[in-house]
Amino acid sequence: MIPVLENPASNVQRFVVGSYTEPYGPFRAIGDGISLVSLHPTGKLERLAQLALPNPAYLRPLSADCIAVAIETDDDRASIALVRVGSGALELEERVATPGRIPCHVDLHPAGSWLAGACYGTGELFALPLADGRLQPDRMVTTRHTGSSVHPVRQTGPHPHAARFSPDGDWLIVPDLGTDTVSAYPFDEARGPDFSHARLWQAPAGSGPRLPLFSGNGQHIVLVEEIASRLVSLRWNDGELSECHRISSLIDPFPGENTAAGLRWHPSGRLVGVSNRGADAISLFAFDPETGRLTPWRQIPSGGTKPRDFEFSSCGAWLITTNQNGDCLAVYALEEDGVRDTGERLTVRSPSCIRQMSGGEG
């Protein structure tokens, strides 16, 4: 079922882990900033370095030695940072204020020339040029969403949760948890986004779109609906979205409250996973790249509580979870007939996001 793409014993793989260092609402946050972690061929994790930053909640690798960081605070410190990643060190290079508060998932244009993101707290979107490895805040392009939906607490205003470039770089896709919409904005590499001409896909009321990922062939988007705890497969046609398949983010029955969160592709492109906070589980679905259909395969415990994120290793053999309230990373081995908990745990307080750096060591 799961094709392992490389020999998992061939190299050491490096990952960066963000964490919540302080709360801005009723949630637990006791983290230490960004951690640089190595995964050894045996499945053992080792912490290599740390960098203290306030709420570096979402990370986006830009190159083999640089990441963009969303500083997710509900005050004037909200910003995008660039952090240099060495073999055993993390170094802050620069920070640029975002146009709003609580910035979330950021993305890199396929040409490497723009960063885009969304401010969950106050509704702004932004596109920030990159030139010679530096941010260009004087050329930032911004707008602000408006609207609301039916949930009496989570949807009283706009809450754009992510920005995602289309594979050809011609569109910027933004899911808004607060308005139950997914917007597609035309994007020109020279000028940036055209925020005046959105193509909208309307999600069901109260579903809470959170995070989209394109399929490997670029024909579909898989979308997490956080509040409804669902995955949706959407056909993509040059800015237009149409629904193909909708399925619960939980494969096994769960009687309690749950919200869906992290979304990742296995490197084969034929398996997609989603994390579930409440059930404290990762659900794995087979994906048909032609039809967009999602088929339940396995659901595994996350190895802790409140799994906000997880990551597949690039070799395809490992899955690492980040358990925000469990203060740990947990390692699972992906095998032909299932997923095995290796028992490996690394203490990282309030982890929020994990991303693999490109390349390996040794």
Side-chain angles (χ1 to χ4, degrees):
M1 171 63 194
I2 300 177
V4 176
L5 303 184
E6 299 174 10
N7 177 1
S10 64
N11 66 358
V12 173
Q13 301 173 78
R14 296 186 305 155
F15 297 80
V16 282
V17 182
S19 67
Y20 283 109
T21 63
E22 56 189 71
Y24 54 78
F27 67 93
R28 179 176 173 274
I30 59 170
D32 301 302
I34 304 174
S35 298
L36 177 62
V37 172
S38 64
L39 174 67
H40 291 265
T42 59
K44 179 177 176 56
L45 292 172
E46 179 185 8
R47 193 194 326 271
L48 303 175
Q50 283 187 318
L51 176 65
L53 285 173
N55 282 5
Y58 296 98
L59 314 176
R60 174 59 162 92
L62 306 182
S63 66
D65 63 355
C66 186
I67 59 173
V69 181
I71 304 297
E72 189 185 313
T73 63
D74 192 14
D75 55 27
D76 291 341
R77 294 172 298 163
S79 54
I80 298 299
L82 296 187
V83 171
R84 188 65 56 186
V85 181
S87 59
L90 297 165
E91 181 181 357
L92 176 65
E93 291 208 327
E94 62 174 322
R95 280 174 66 173
V96 169
T98 52
R101 297 181 174 184
I102 313 181
C104 288
H105 298 88
V106 296
D107 198 20
L108 179 68
H109 189 272
S113 52
W114 293 80
L115 282 175
C119 296
Y120 178 90
T122 47
E124 289 84 2
L125 316 177
F126 61 91
L128 183 59
L130 274 167
D132 300 322
R134 306 292 292 182
L135 301 171
Q136 309 293 310
D138 57 321
R139 296 175 52 213
M140 186 188 300
V141 183
T142 67
T143 192
R144 186 178 185 274
H145 276 187
T146 59
S148 60
S149 194
V150 299
H151 194 285
V153 177
R154 302 290 310 277
Q155 295 183 314
T156 59
H159 294 300
H161 212 303
R164 183 75 60 196
F165 287 104
S166 60
D168 60 11
D170 290 343
W171 297 89
L172 183 64
I173 293 84
V174 179
D176 194 315
L177 183 147
T179 63
D180 285 324
T181 58
V182 178
S183 302
Y185 295 100
F187 198 95
D188 180 88
E189 189 185 351
R191 297 186 297 271
D194 181 357
F195 284 133
S196 66
H197 290 88
R199 297 186 183 182
L200 288 180
W201 179 78
Q202 186 69 53
S207 58
R210 173 186 172 96
L211 184 61
L213 290 179
F214 275 90
S215 62
N217 62 12
Q219 296 179 7
H220 295 88
I221 287 176
V222 176
L223 174 72
V224 172
E225 293 181 338
E226 176 179 334
I227 299 173
S229 293
R230 288 191 175 273
L231 280 186
V232 186
S233 173
L234 301 166
R235 182 167 292 279
W236 170 259
N237 183 20
D238 197 29
E240 299 291 343
L241 290 168
S242 57
E243 184 172 325
C244 298
H245 192 214
R246 179 181 298 269
I247 194 168
S248 173
S249 67
L250 290 165
I251 295 174
D252 300 333
F254 179 70
E257 294 185 3
N258 184 77
T259 56
L263 182 69
R264 294 281 187 249
W265 286 108
H266 185 268
S268 68
R270 298 201 293 271
L271 191 74
V272 65
V274 59
S275 69
N276 291 279
R277 300 170 296 184
D280 296 334
I282 310 297
S283 297
L284 302 173
F285 298 83
F287 177 77
D288 186 327
E290 298 304 317
T291 66
R293 186 166 185 83
L294 296 157
T295 302
W297 183 61
R298 295 287 190 278
Q299 179 172 308
I300 61 170
S302 68
T305 52
K306 201 173 183 180
R308 182 170 288 269
D309 199 16
F310 64 99
E311 179 78 297
F312 293 105
S313 64
S314 60
C315 69
W318 308 101
L319 185 157
I320 306 174
T321 64
T322 65
N323 295 286
Q324 182 181 346
N325 286 4
D327 296 330
C328 72
L329 310 184
V331 180
Y332 294 80
L334 291 137
E335 300 171 341
E336 290 294 333
D337 58 348
V339 185
R340 175 175 55 86
D341 185 350
T342 68
E344 175 67 12
R345 303 291 186 270
L346 180 69
T347 298
V348 177
R349 301 196 300 178
S350 300
S352 59
C353 175
I354 180 168
R355 298 300 304 270
Q356 183 167 5
M357 301 300 296
S358 60
E361 300 170 10

